[in-house]
Amino acid sequence: MLSTKPPPLAERPAARSRRGPRQAAGLLGGVLFLLAAIALSLAVGAKPLSLGQAWDGLFHADSAAYTVVHDMRLPRTLLGLLAGVSLGLAGAVMQALTRNPLADPGLLGINAGASAAVVSAISFLGVTSFTGFVWFAFAGAGAVAVLLYAVGGGRGATPARLVLAGAALNAALFSYVSAVQLLDTASLDRMRFWTVGSLASAQGYTVVRVAPFVAVGAVLALLLARPLNAMAMGEDAARALGAAPGRARITAIAAVTLLCGAATAACGPIVFVGLMVPHLVRALTGPDLRRLLPYCAVLSPALMLAADVLGRVVVRPSELQVGIVMVVAGGPLFLYFVRRPLSRAVTS
Protein backbone atom coordinates (compact mmCIF):
# COMPACT_ATOMS: atom_id res chain seq x y z
CA MET A 1 0.00 0.00 0.00
CA LEU A 2 1.39 3.36 -1.05
CA SER A 3 2.07 5.90 1.68
CA THR A 4 0.22 9.21 1.53
CA LYS A 5 3.09 11.03 3.22
CA PRO A 6 5.28 13.23 1.00
CA PRO A 7 8.83 11.95 0.50
CA PRO A 8 11.49 13.20 2.93
CA LEU A 9 13.16 15.30 0.24
CA ALA A 10 9.95 17.25 -0.23
CA GLU A 11 9.99 18.20 3.44
CA ARG A 12 13.54 19.43 3.56
CA PRO A 13 13.14 22.85 1.84
CA ALA A 14 10.28 23.77 4.17
CA ALA A 15 12.26 22.58 7.19
CA ARG A 16 15.26 24.64 6.07
CA SER A 17 13.09 27.72 5.53
CA ARG A 18 11.71 27.40 9.06
CA ARG A 19 15.15 26.76 10.54
CA GLY A 20 16.85 29.74 8.85
CA PRO A 21 15.31 32.56 10.93
CA ARG A 22 15.69 30.49 14.10
CA GLN A 23 19.39 29.94 13.40
CA ALA A 24 19.94 33.65 12.72
CA ALA A 25 18.16 34.57 15.95
CA GLY A 26 20.16 31.93 17.84
CA LEU A 27 23.47 33.25 16.50
CA LEU A 28 22.50 36.81 17.43
CA GLY A 29 21.54 35.62 20.91
CA GLY A 30 24.87 33.81 21.20
CA VAL A 31 26.80 36.95 20.25
CA LEU A 32 24.85 39.01 22.80
CA PHE A 33 25.51 36.34 25.46
CA LEU A 34 29.22 36.44 24.62
CA LEU A 35 29.33 40.25 24.85
CA ALA A 36 27.54 40.14 28.21
CA ALA A 37 29.98 37.50 29.50
CA ILE A 38 32.95 39.63 28.39
CA ALA A 39 31.53 42.70 30.13
CA LEU A 40 30.92 40.79 33.37
CA SER A 41 34.37 39.20 33.21
CA LEU A 42 35.92 42.68 33.08
CA ALA A 43 33.72 44.05 35.87
CA VAL A 44 33.39 41.21 38.42
CA GLY A 45 36.18 40.27 40.79
CA ALA A 46 37.75 40.88 44.19
CA LYS A 47 37.38 44.61 43.47
CA PRO A 48 33.93 44.97 41.86
CA LEU A 49 33.61 47.55 39.09
CA SER A 50 30.54 48.98 37.45
CA LEU A 51 30.25 48.46 33.70
CA GLY A 52 31.05 52.15 33.24
CA GLN A 53 34.20 51.88 35.36
CA ALA A 54 35.27 48.74 33.46
CA TRP A 55 34.75 50.58 30.16
CA ASP A 56 36.80 53.57 31.34
CA GLY A 57 39.50 51.26 32.65
CA LEU A 58 39.65 49.50 29.29
CA PHE A 59 40.13 52.62 27.15
CA HIS A 60 41.42 55.43 29.38
CA ALA A 61 44.90 55.21 30.90
CA ASP A 62 44.08 57.86 33.50
CA SER A 63 41.17 55.84 34.90
CA ALA A 64 41.46 54.48 38.45
CA ALA A 65 40.38 51.07 37.11
CA TYR A 66 42.98 50.97 34.31
CA THR A 67 45.51 48.85 36.21
CA VAL A 68 42.91 46.38 37.47
CA VAL A 69 41.37 45.93 34.04
CA HIS A 70 44.57 45.72 31.99
CA ASP A 71 46.79 43.79 34.40
CA MET A 72 44.22 41.29 35.72
CA ARG A 73 40.79 41.23 34.08
CA LEU A 74 41.65 41.70 30.39
CA PRO A 75 44.27 38.89 30.14
CA ARG A 76 41.93 36.58 32.02
CA THR A 77 39.04 37.42 29.72
CA LEU A 78 41.09 37.01 26.53
CA LEU A 79 42.48 33.69 27.74
CA GLY A 80 38.94 32.53 28.52
CA LEU A 81 37.91 33.46 24.97
CA LEU A 82 40.80 31.55 23.42
CA ALA A 83 40.39 28.49 25.64
CA GLY A 84 36.63 28.42 25.08
CA VAL A 85 37.00 28.59 21.29
CA SER A 86 39.65 25.86 21.41
CA LEU A 87 37.66 23.42 23.53
CA GLY A 88 34.33 24.04 21.76
CA LEU A 89 35.76 23.52 18.26
CA ALA A 90 37.81 20.53 19.41
CA GLY A 91 34.73 18.91 20.94
CA ALA A 92 32.63 19.41 17.80
CA VAL A 93 35.39 17.98 15.61
CA MET A 94 35.86 14.98 17.94
CA GLN A 95 32.14 14.19 17.97
CA ALA A 96 32.02 14.32 14.17
CA LEU A 97 35.23 12.33 13.73
CA THR A 98 34.24 9.52 16.10
CA ARG A 99 30.50 9.72 15.33
CA ASN A 100 30.05 9.64 19.08
CA PRO A 101 27.69 12.27 20.53
CA LEU A 102 29.35 11.91 23.96
CA ALA A 103 32.87 12.62 22.72
CA ASP A 104 34.87 15.54 24.04
CA PRO A 105 38.53 16.55 23.63
CA GLY A 106 39.53 14.18 26.42
CA LEU A 107 37.99 11.10 24.81
CA LEU A 108 40.99 10.23 22.66
CA GLY A 109 43.56 10.98 25.35
CA ILE A 110 44.81 14.24 23.80
CA ASN A 111 44.18 16.27 26.97
CA ALA A 112 45.64 13.46 29.05
CA GLY A 113 48.81 13.43 26.94
CA ALA A 114 49.25 17.19 27.39
CA SER A 115 48.57 16.90 31.13
CA ALA A 116 51.02 14.01 31.58
CA ALA A 117 53.79 15.91 29.79
CA VAL A 118 53.25 19.10 31.81
CA VAL A 119 53.07 17.24 35.14
CA SER A 120 56.30 15.40 34.24
CA ALA A 121 57.97 18.73 33.44
CA ILE A 122 56.85 20.20 36.77
CA SER A 123 57.91 17.21 38.83
CA PHE A 124 61.13 16.07 37.16
CA LEU A 125 62.47 19.22 35.49
CA GLY A 126 61.17 21.95 37.81
CA VAL A 127 59.37 23.80 35.02
CA THR A 128 57.02 26.48 36.38
CA SER A 129 56.51 28.96 33.53
CA PHE A 130 53.97 28.96 30.74
CA THR A 131 56.78 29.01 28.17
CA GLY A 132 57.82 25.59 29.40
CA PHE A 133 54.27 24.33 29.83
CA VAL A 134 53.17 25.05 26.29
CA TRP A 135 55.93 23.14 24.56
CA PHE A 136 55.63 20.15 26.86
CA ALA A 137 51.84 20.21 26.38
CA PHE A 138 52.18 20.16 22.60
CA ALA A 139 54.82 17.42 22.80
CA GLY A 140 52.55 15.28 24.98
CA ALA A 141 49.45 15.92 22.88
CA GLY A 142 51.34 15.28 19.65
CA ALA A 143 52.93 12.07 20.92
CA VAL A 144 49.55 10.73 22.02
CA ALA A 145 48.00 11.73 18.67
CA VAL A 146 50.67 9.81 16.74
CA LEU A 147 50.38 6.80 19.07
CA LEU A 148 46.61 6.92 18.84
CA TYR A 149 46.71 6.99 15.05
CA ALA A 150 49.11 4.02 15.00
CA VAL A 151 47.19 1.95 17.58
CA GLY A 152 43.86 2.84 15.98
CA GLY A 153 44.89 1.34 12.65
CA GLY A 154 46.68 4.09 10.73
CA ARG A 155 44.96 4.93 7.44
CA GLY A 156 42.46 2.15 8.10
CA ALA A 157 41.40 3.62 11.45
CA THR A 158 37.68 3.55 12.18
CA PRO A 159 35.76 5.70 14.69
CA ALA A 160 35.22 2.68 16.96
CA ARG A 161 38.93 1.78 17.01
CA LEU A 162 39.93 5.38 17.66
CA VAL A 163 37.52 5.59 20.61
CA LEU A 164 38.74 2.31 22.13
CA ALA A 165 42.41 3.24 21.71
CA GLY A 166 41.76 6.72 23.11
CA ALA A 167 39.90 5.40 26.14
CA ALA A 168 42.80 3.06 26.98
CA LEU A 169 45.40 5.82 26.57
CA ASN A 170 43.28 8.26 28.56
CA ALA A 171 42.99 5.88 31.54
CA ALA A 172 46.68 5.01 31.52
CA LEU A 173 47.89 8.61 31.28
CA PHE A 174 45.64 10.00 34.00
CA SER A 175 46.70 7.13 36.26
CA TYR A 176 50.30 8.23 35.64
CA VAL A 177 49.40 11.86 36.45
CA SER A 178 47.81 10.78 39.75
CA ALA A 179 50.80 8.62 40.64
CA VAL A 180 53.28 11.47 40.03
CA GLN A 181 51.20 13.82 42.17
CA LEU A 182 51.07 11.34 45.05
CA LEU A 183 54.78 10.46 44.93
CA ASP A 184 56.16 13.99 44.51
CA THR A 185 54.76 15.93 47.45
CA ALA A 186 57.19 18.81 46.91
CA SER A 187 55.66 19.54 43.51
CA LEU A 188 52.08 18.74 44.50
CA ASP A 189 51.17 22.33 45.38
CA ARG A 190 52.49 23.61 42.05
CA MET A 191 50.56 20.93 40.15
CA ARG A 192 47.34 21.17 42.10
CA PHE A 193 46.33 24.63 40.94
CA TRP A 194 47.17 23.84 37.31
CA THR A 195 45.45 20.43 37.17
CA VAL A 196 42.17 21.85 38.52
CA GLY A 197 41.82 24.15 35.50
CA SER A 198 41.87 27.90 36.05
CA LEU A 199 42.05 31.26 34.27
CA ALA A 200 43.21 33.11 37.39
CA SER A 201 46.92 33.08 36.53
CA ALA A 202 46.46 34.55 33.04
CA GLN A 203 49.08 37.04 31.89
CA GLY A 204 49.36 39.11 28.74
CA TYR A 205 52.27 37.06 27.42
CA THR A 206 50.24 33.86 27.91
CA VAL A 207 47.53 35.18 25.61
CA VAL A 208 50.06 36.31 22.99
CA ARG A 209 51.81 32.92 22.92
CA VAL A 210 48.63 30.84 22.87
CA ALA A 211 46.81 32.86 20.19
CA PRO A 212 48.78 31.64 17.11
CA PHE A 213 48.26 27.97 17.98
CA VAL A 214 44.55 28.53 18.57
CA ALA A 215 44.24 30.45 15.28
CA VAL A 216 45.86 27.66 13.24
CA GLY A 217 43.83 24.96 15.00
CA ALA A 218 40.59 26.90 14.50
CA VAL A 219 41.25 27.37 10.78
CA LEU A 220 41.95 23.65 10.37
CA ALA A 221 38.75 22.80 12.28
CA LEU A 222 36.62 25.10 10.12
CA LEU A 223 38.15 23.67 6.92
CA LEU A 224 37.11 20.19 8.08
CA ALA A 225 33.38 20.99 7.94
CA ARG A 226 32.75 19.63 4.44
CA PRO A 227 34.89 16.45 4.64
CA LEU A 228 33.51 15.51 8.05
CA ASN A 229 29.96 16.13 6.80
CA ALA A 230 30.68 13.72 3.96
CA MET A 231 32.22 11.14 6.29
CA ALA A 232 29.04 11.13 8.40
CA MET A 233 27.37 9.29 5.50
CA GLY A 234 30.01 6.55 5.50
CA GLU A 235 33.46 5.99 4.06
CA ASP A 236 32.33 4.98 0.57
CA ALA A 237 29.89 7.87 0.27
CA ALA A 238 32.57 10.29 1.45
CA ARG A 239 34.99 9.10 -1.23
CA ALA A 240 32.25 9.36 -3.84
CA LEU A 241 31.72 12.98 -2.81
CA GLY A 242 35.42 13.72 -3.22
CA ALA A 243 36.48 13.59 0.43
CA ALA A 244 39.60 11.75 1.58
CA PRO A 245 38.76 10.08 4.92
CA GLY A 246 42.38 9.29 5.83
CA ARG A 247 43.55 12.84 5.20
CA ALA A 248 40.54 14.24 7.03
CA ARG A 249 41.32 12.12 10.11
CA ILE A 250 44.95 13.26 10.16
CA THR A 251 43.89 16.90 9.80
CA ALA A 252 41.25 16.50 12.52
CA ILE A 253 43.75 14.98 14.95
CA ALA A 254 46.22 17.78 14.14
CA ALA A 255 43.54 20.43 14.77
CA VAL A 256 42.48 18.85 18.07
CA THR A 257 46.13 18.54 19.14
CA LEU A 258 46.77 22.23 18.52
CA LEU A 259 43.53 23.37 20.16
CA CYS A 260 43.72 21.10 23.20
CA GLY A 261 47.47 21.51 23.64
CA ALA A 262 47.18 25.30 23.73
CA ALA A 263 44.16 25.34 26.06
CA THR A 264 45.61 22.71 28.41
CA ALA A 265 49.02 24.42 28.64
CA ALA A 266 47.45 27.77 29.47
CA CYS A 267 44.58 26.76 31.75
CA GLY A 268 44.98 23.12 32.75
CA PRO A 269 42.59 20.34 31.73
CA ILE A 270 39.09 21.89 31.68
CA VAL A 271 36.34 19.40 30.87
CA PHE A 272 32.74 19.41 29.60
CA VAL A 273 32.97 22.58 27.44
CA GLY A 274 33.65 20.46 24.37
CA LEU A 275 30.85 18.08 25.32
CA MET A 276 28.06 20.47 26.26
CA VAL A 277 28.27 23.23 23.68
CA PRO A 278 28.09 21.08 20.50
CA HIS A 279 25.02 19.34 21.96
CA LEU A 280 23.30 22.60 22.78
CA VAL A 281 24.14 24.03 19.36
CA ARG A 282 23.13 20.91 17.43
CA ALA A 283 19.55 21.26 18.66
CA LEU A 284 19.44 24.58 16.80
CA THR A 285 21.61 24.02 13.72
CA GLY A 286 21.30 20.30 13.09
CA PRO A 287 24.38 18.15 12.39
CA ASP A 288 25.76 20.32 9.54
CA LEU A 289 29.26 21.33 10.68
CA ARG A 290 29.27 24.36 8.38
CA ARG A 291 26.77 25.92 10.77
CA LEU A 292 27.63 24.06 13.97
CA LEU A 293 31.33 25.03 14.14
CA PRO A 294 30.80 28.82 13.95
CA TYR A 295 28.10 28.57 16.63
CA CYS A 296 30.49 26.61 18.86
CA ALA A 297 33.18 29.26 18.32
CA VAL A 298 30.75 31.87 19.73
CA LEU A 299 28.99 29.97 22.51
CA SER A 300 31.94 28.03 23.96
CA PRO A 301 33.91 31.10 25.10
CA ALA A 302 30.66 32.62 26.38
CA LEU A 303 30.07 29.54 28.53
CA MET A 304 33.69 29.51 29.71
CA LEU A 305 33.60 33.16 30.77
CA ALA A 306 30.18 32.78 32.42
CA ALA A 307 31.50 29.84 34.47
CA ASP A 308 34.59 31.84 35.43
CA VAL A 309 32.47 34.81 36.55
CA LEU A 310 30.21 32.49 38.55
CA GLY A 311 33.26 31.03 40.28
CA ARG A 312 34.33 34.53 41.36
CA VAL A 313 30.91 35.26 42.88
CA VAL A 314 29.70 32.14 44.71
CA VAL A 315 32.42 31.94 47.39
CA ARG A 316 33.47 35.56 47.80
CA PRO A 317 35.98 36.81 48.84
CA SER A 318 37.66 33.63 47.55
CA GLU A 319 36.87 32.06 44.19
CA LEU A 320 36.26 28.69 42.59
CA GLN A 321 38.41 27.76 39.61
CA VAL A 322 36.54 27.53 36.31
CA GLY A 323 37.43 23.84 36.01
CA ILE A 324 35.50 23.08 39.23
CA VAL A 325 32.50 25.13 38.11
CA MET A 326 32.42 23.29 34.77
CA VAL A 327 32.53 19.89 36.49
CA VAL A 328 29.66 20.80 38.83
CA ALA A 329 27.58 22.19 35.95
CA GLY A 330 28.58 19.59 33.38
CA GLY A 331 28.07 16.42 35.42
CA PRO A 332 24.25 16.52 35.51
CA LEU A 333 24.12 17.59 31.86
CA PHE A 334 26.39 14.69 30.90
CA LEU A 335 24.00 12.26 32.64
CA TYR A 336 21.11 13.84 30.72
CA PHE A 337 22.91 13.31 27.41
CA VAL A 338 23.65 9.67 28.31
CA ARG A 339 19.97 9.03 28.98
CA ARG A 340 18.74 10.70 25.78
CA PRO A 341 17.47 8.48 22.96
CA LEU A 342 20.12 7.57 20.43
CA SER A 343 17.90 8.94 17.69
CA ARG A 344 19.21 12.39 18.64
CA ALA A 345 22.82 11.34 18.04
CA VAL A 346 25.36 13.28 16.08
CA THR A 347 24.68 11.51 12.81
CA SER A 348 20.95 12.14 12.88
Side-chain angles (χ1 to χ4, degrees), residues 186-206:
S187 299
L188 179 59
D189 288 338
R190 294 201 302 270
M191 295 182 208
R192 184 170 51 198
F193 187 77
W194 180 84
T195 54
V196 165
S198 174
L199 301 176
S201 59
Q203 301 291 333
Y205 68 84
T206 307

PDB file of all heavy atoms in Angstrom, residues 186-206:
ATOM      1  N   ALA A 186      56.602  17.481  47.023  1.00  0.00           N
ATOM      2  CA  ALA A 186      57.186  18.813  46.913  1.00  0.00           C
ATOM      3  C   ALA A 186      56.584  19.594  45.748  1.00  0.00           C
ATOM      4  O   ALA A 186      56.454  20.815  45.800  1.00  0.00           O
ATOM      5  CB  ALA A 186      58.701  18.712  46.732  1.00  0.00           C
ATOM      6  N   SER A 187      56.235  18.883  44.687  1.00  0.00           N
ATOM      7  CA  SER A 187      55.664  19.544  43.505  1.00  0.00           C
ATOM      8  C   SER A 187      54.140  19.541  43.510  1.00  0.00           C
ATOM      9  O   SER A 187      53.529  20.127  42.612  1.00  0.00           O
ATOM     10  CB  SER A 187      56.155  18.838  42.229  1.00  0.00           C
ATOM     11  OG  SER A 187      57.560  18.903  42.134  1.00  0.00           O
ATOM     12  N   LEU A 188      53.537  18.901  44.506  1.00  0.00           N
ATOM     13  CA  LEU A 188      52.082  18.741  44.497  1.00  0.00           C
ATOM     14  C   LEU A 188      51.364  20.077  44.498  1.00  0.00           C
ATOM     15  O   LEU A 188      50.386  20.268  43.771  1.00  0.00           O
ATOM     16  CB  LEU A 188      51.643  17.903  45.699  1.00  0.00           C
ATOM     17  CG  LEU A 188      50.132  17.666  45.829  1.00  0.00           C
ATOM     18  CD1 LEU A 188      49.585  16.967  44.592  1.00  0.00           C
ATOM     19  CD2 LEU A 188      49.830  16.842  47.080  1.00  0.00           C
ATOM     20  N   ASP A 189      51.836  21.038  45.320  1.00  0.00           N
ATOM     21  CA  ASP A 189      51.170  22.334  45.378  1.00  0.00           C
ATOM     22  C   ASP A 189      51.231  23.052  44.042  1.00  0.00           C
ATOM     23  O   ASP A 189      50.276  23.715  43.634  1.00  0.00           O
ATOM     24  CB  ASP A 189      51.786  23.205  46.475  1.00  0.00           C
ATOM     25  CG  ASP A 189      51.412  22.733  47.861  1.00  0.00           C
ATOM     26  OD1 ASP A 189      50.389  22.028  47.971  1.00  0.00           O
ATOM     27  OD2 ASP A 189      52.151  23.037  48.812  1.00  0.00           O
ATOM     28  N   ARG A 190      52.380  22.950  43.348  1.00  0.00           N
ATOM     29  CA  ARG A 190      52.493  23.609  42.046  1.00  0.00           C
ATOM     30  C   ARG A 190      51.575  22.944  41.029  1.00  0.00           C
ATOM     31  O   ARG A 190      51.015  23.603  40.168  1.00  0.00           O
ATOM     32  CB  ARG A 190      53.943  23.554  41.550  1.00  0.00           C
ATOM     33  CG  ARG A 190      54.904  24.356  42.386  1.00  0.00           C
ATOM     34  CD  ARG A 190      56.163  24.687  41.595  1.00  0.00           C
ATOM     35  NE  ARG A 190      56.857  23.493  41.116  1.00  0.00           N
ATOM     36  CZ  ARG A 190      57.792  22.855  41.806  1.00  0.00           C
ATOM     37  NH1 ARG A 190      58.115  23.275  43.026  1.00  0.00           N
ATOM     38  NH2 ARG A 190      58.394  21.802  41.309  1.00  0.00           N
ATOM     39  N   MET A 191      51.415  21.639  41.111  1.00  0.00           N
ATOM     40  CA  MET A 191      50.562  20.928  40.147  1.00  0.00           C
ATOM     41  C   MET A 191      49.089  21.144  40.421  1.00  0.00           C
ATOM     42  O   MET A 191      48.285  21.225  39.505  1.00  0.00           O
ATOM     43  CB  MET A 191      50.838  19.421  40.224  1.00  0.00           C
ATOM     44  CG  MET A 191      52.209  18.977  39.811  1.00  0.00           C
ATOM     45  SD  MET A 191      52.274  17.176  39.930  1.00  0.00           S
ATOM     46  CE  MET A 191      53.981  16.921  40.261  1.00  0.00           C
ATOM     47  N   ARG A 192      48.747  21.228  41.711  1.00  0.00           N
ATOM     48  CA  ARG A 192      47.340  21.172  42.097  1.00  0.00           C
ATOM     49  C   ARG A 192      46.533  22.287  41.458  1.00  0.00           C
ATOM     50  O   ARG A 192      45.453  22.058  40.911  1.00  0.00           O
ATOM     51  CB  ARG A 192      47.231  21.241  43.626  1.00  0.00           C
ATOM     52  CG  ARG A 192      45.827  21.103  44.156  1.00  0.00           C
ATOM     53  CD  ARG A 192      45.860  20.940  45.658  1.00  0.00           C
ATOM     54  NE  ARG A 192      46.664  21.981  46.286  1.00  0.00           N
ATOM     55  CZ  ARG A 192      47.143  21.896  47.514  1.00  0.00           C
ATOM     56  NH1 ARG A 192      46.914  20.808  48.232  1.00  0.00           N
ATOM     57  NH2 ARG A 192      47.852  22.877  48.030  1.00  0.00           N
ATOM     58  N   PHE A 193      47.067  23.501  41.491  1.00  0.00           N
ATOM     59  CA  PHE A 193      46.334  24.635  40.938  1.00  0.00           C
ATOM     60  C   PHE A 193      46.172  24.479  39.428  1.00  0.00           C
ATOM     61  O   PHE A 193      45.122  24.759  38.869  1.00  0.00           O
ATOM     62  CB  PHE A 193      47.073  25.928  41.254  1.00  0.00           C
ATOM     63  CG  PHE A 193      46.317  27.167  40.870  1.00  0.00           C
ATOM     64  CD1 PHE A 193      45.266  27.620  41.650  1.00  0.00           C
ATOM     65  CD2 PHE A 193      46.658  27.870  39.735  1.00  0.00           C
ATOM     66  CE1 PHE A 193      44.565  28.763  41.301  1.00  0.00           C
ATOM     67  CE2 PHE A 193      45.966  29.016  39.382  1.00  0.00           C
ATOM     68  CZ  PHE A 193      44.915  29.457  40.172  1.00  0.00           C
ATOM     69  N   TRP A 194      47.233  23.989  38.757  1.00  0.00           N
ATOM     70  CA  TRP A 194      47.166  23.841  37.308  1.00  0.00           C
ATOM     71  C   TRP A 194      46.218  22.721  36.900  1.00  0.00           C
ATOM     72  O   TRP A 194      45.430  22.864  35.960  1.00  0.00           O
ATOM     73  CB  TRP A 194      48.574  23.574  36.759  1.00  0.00           C
ATOM     74  CG  TRP A 194      48.591  23.406  35.278  1.00  0.00           C
ATOM     75  CD1 TRP A 194      48.634  24.384  34.328  1.00  0.00           C
ATOM     76  CD2 TRP A 194      48.548  22.166  34.571  1.00  0.00           C
ATOM     77  NE1 TRP A 194      48.611  23.836  33.080  1.00  0.00           N
ATOM     78  CE2 TRP A 194      48.564  22.465  33.203  1.00  0.00           C
ATOM     79  CE3 TRP A 194      48.488  20.827  34.963  1.00  0.00           C
ATOM     80  CZ2 TRP A 194      48.537  21.489  32.219  1.00  0.00           C
ATOM     81  CZ3 TRP A 194      48.453  19.854  33.992  1.00  0.00           C
ATOM     82  CH2 TRP A 194      48.480  20.178  32.640  1.00  0.00           C
ATOM     83  N   THR A 195      46.257  21.569  37.588  1.00  0.00           N
ATOM     84  CA  THR A 195      45.452  20.430  37.169  1.00  0.00           C
ATOM     85  C   THR A 195      43.963  20.628  37.427  1.00  0.00           C
ATOM     86  O   THR A 195      43.142  19.936  36.820  1.00  0.00           O
ATOM     87  CB  THR A 195      45.905  19.136  37.882  1.00  0.00           C
ATOM     88  OG1 THR A 195      45.893  19.337  39.296  1.00  0.00           O
ATOM     89  CG2 THR A 195      47.297  18.729  37.441  1.00  0.00           C
ATOM     90  N   VAL A 196      43.585  21.573  38.299  1.00  0.00           N
ATOM     91  CA  VAL A 196      42.171  21.850  38.517  1.00  0.00           C
ATOM     92  C   VAL A 196      41.559  22.542  37.308  1.00  0.00           C
ATOM     93  O   VAL A 196      40.403  22.321  36.959  1.00  0.00           O
ATOM     94  CB  VAL A 196      41.994  22.714  39.785  1.00  0.00           C
ATOM     95  CG1 VAL A 196      40.607  23.322  39.855  1.00  0.00           C
ATOM     96  CG2 VAL A 196      42.245  21.869  41.027  1.00  0.00           C
ATOM     97  N   GLY A 197      42.325  23.379  36.622  1.00  0.00           N
ATOM     98  CA  GLY A 197      41.819  24.148  35.501  1.00  0.00           C
ATOM     99  C   GLY A 197      41.389  25.531  35.936  1.00  0.00           C
ATOM    100  O   GLY A 197      40.406  25.681  36.664  1.00  0.00           O
ATOM    101  N   SER A 198      42.147  26.563  35.551  1.00  0.00           N
ATOM    102  CA  SER A 198      41.869  27.903  36.048  1.00  0.00           C
ATOM    103  C   SER A 198      42.318  28.943  35.033  1.00  0.00           C
ATOM    104  O   SER A 198      43.258  28.720  34.257  1.00  0.00           O
ATOM    105  CB  SER A 198      42.591  28.131  37.373  1.00  0.00           C
ATOM    106  OG  SER A 198      42.443  29.467  37.801  1.00  0.00           O
ATOM    107  N   LEU A 199      41.643  30.097  35.065  1.00  0.00           N
ATOM    108  CA  LEU A 199      42.046  31.260  34.273  1.00  0.00           C
ATOM    109  C   LEU A 199      42.714  32.322  35.138  1.00  0.00           C
ATOM    110  O   LEU A 199      43.140  33.362  34.634  1.00  0.00           O
ATOM    111  CB  LEU A 199      40.820  31.889  33.587  1.00  0.00           C
ATOM    112  CG  LEU A 199      40.020  30.990  32.646  1.00  0.00           C
ATOM    113  CD1 LEU A 199      38.793  31.741  32.134  1.00  0.00           C
ATOM    114  CD2 LEU A 199      40.875  30.523  31.482  1.00  0.00           C
ATOM    115  N   ALA A 200      42.803  32.072  36.448  1.00  0.00           N
ATOM    116  CA  ALA A 200      43.212  33.109  37.391  1.00  0.00           C
ATOM    117  C   ALA A 200      44.656  33.563  37.189  1.00  0.00           C
ATOM    118  O   ALA A 200      45.000  34.699  37.513  1.00  0.00           O
ATOM    119  CB  ALA A 200      43.020  32.612  38.825  1.00  0.00           C
ATOM    120  N   SER A 201      45.512  32.713  36.673  1.00  0.00           N
ATOM    121  CA  SER A 201      46.921  33.079  36.532  1.00  0.00           C
ATOM    122  C   SER A 201      47.248  33.642  35.153  1.00  0.00           C
ATOM    123  O   SER A 201      48.410  33.705  34.760  1.00  0.00           O
ATOM    124  CB  SER A 201      47.807  31.860  36.797  1.00  0.00           C
ATOM    125  OG  SER A 201      47.493  30.810  35.898  1.00  0.00           O
ATOM    126  N   ALA A 202      46.239  34.051  34.399  1.00  0.00           N
ATOM    127  CA  ALA A 202      46.458  34.553  33.042  1.00  0.00           C
ATOM    128  C   ALA A 202      47.326  35.803  33.050  1.00  0.00           C
ATOM    129  O   ALA A 202      47.173  36.677  33.894  1.00  0.00           O
ATOM    130  CB  ALA A 202      45.113  34.855  32.384  1.00  0.00           C
ATOM    131  N   GLN A 203      48.237  35.867  32.100  1.00  0.00           N
ATOM    132  CA  GLN A 203      49.082  37.037  31.886  1.00  0.00           C
ATOM    133  C   GLN A 203      49.021  37.419  30.411  1.00  0.00           C
ATOM    134  O   GLN A 203      48.652  36.602  29.558  1.00  0.00           O
ATOM    135  CB  GLN A 203      50.534  36.737  32.284  1.00  0.00           C
ATOM    136  CG  GLN A 203      50.726  36.312  33.724  1.00  0.00           C
ATOM    137  CD  GLN A 203      50.479  37.441  34.709  1.00  0.00           C
ATOM    138  OE1 GLN A 203      50.651  38.622  34.371  1.00  0.00           O
ATOM    139  NE2 GLN A 203      50.078  37.104  35.930  1.00  0.00           N
ATOM    140  N   GLY A 204      49.401  38.648  30.124  1.00  0.00           N
ATOM    141  CA  GLY A 204      49.359  39.105  28.743  1.00  0.00           C
ATOM    142  C   GLY A 204      50.209  38.248  27.821  1.00  0.00           C
ATOM    143  O   GLY A 204      49.799  37.922  26.698  1.00  0.00           O
ATOM    144  N   TYR A 205      51.399  37.862  28.270  1.00  0.00           N
ATOM    145  CA  TYR A 205      52.268  37.057  27.418  1.00  0.00           C
ATOM    146  C   TYR A 205      51.686  35.667  27.168  1.00  0.00           C
ATOM    147  O   TYR A 205      51.931  35.061  26.119  1.00  0.00           O
ATOM    148  CB  TYR A 205      53.675  36.964  28.012  1.00  0.00           C
ATOM    149  CG  TYR A 205      53.784  36.174  29.296  1.00  0.00           C
ATOM    150  CD1 TYR A 205      53.907  34.795  29.276  1.00  0.00           C
ATOM    151  CD2 TYR A 205      53.767  36.808  30.534  1.00  0.00           C
ATOM    152  CE1 TYR A 205      54.013  34.068  30.453  1.00  0.00           C
ATOM    153  CE2 TYR A 205      53.872  36.091  31.709  1.00  0.00           C
ATOM    154  CZ  TYR A 205      53.989  34.730  31.661  1.00  0.00           C
ATOM    155  OH  TYR A 205      54.080  34.009  32.831  1.00  0.00           O
ATOM    156  N   THR A 206      50.895  35.155  28.116  1.00  0.00           N
ATOM    157  CA  THR A 206      50.243  33.862  27.910  1.00  0.00           C
ATOM    158  C   THR A 206      49.285  33.946  26.733  1.00  0.00           C
ATOM    159  O   THR A 206      49.269  33.067  25.858  1.00  0.00           O
ATOM    160  CB  THR A 206      49.464  33.447  29.174  1.00  0.00           C
ATOM    161  OG1 THR A 206      50.333  33.492  30.302  1.00  0.00           O
ATOM    162  CG2 THR A 206      48.910  32.050  29.011  1.00  0.00           C
TER     163      THR A 206
END
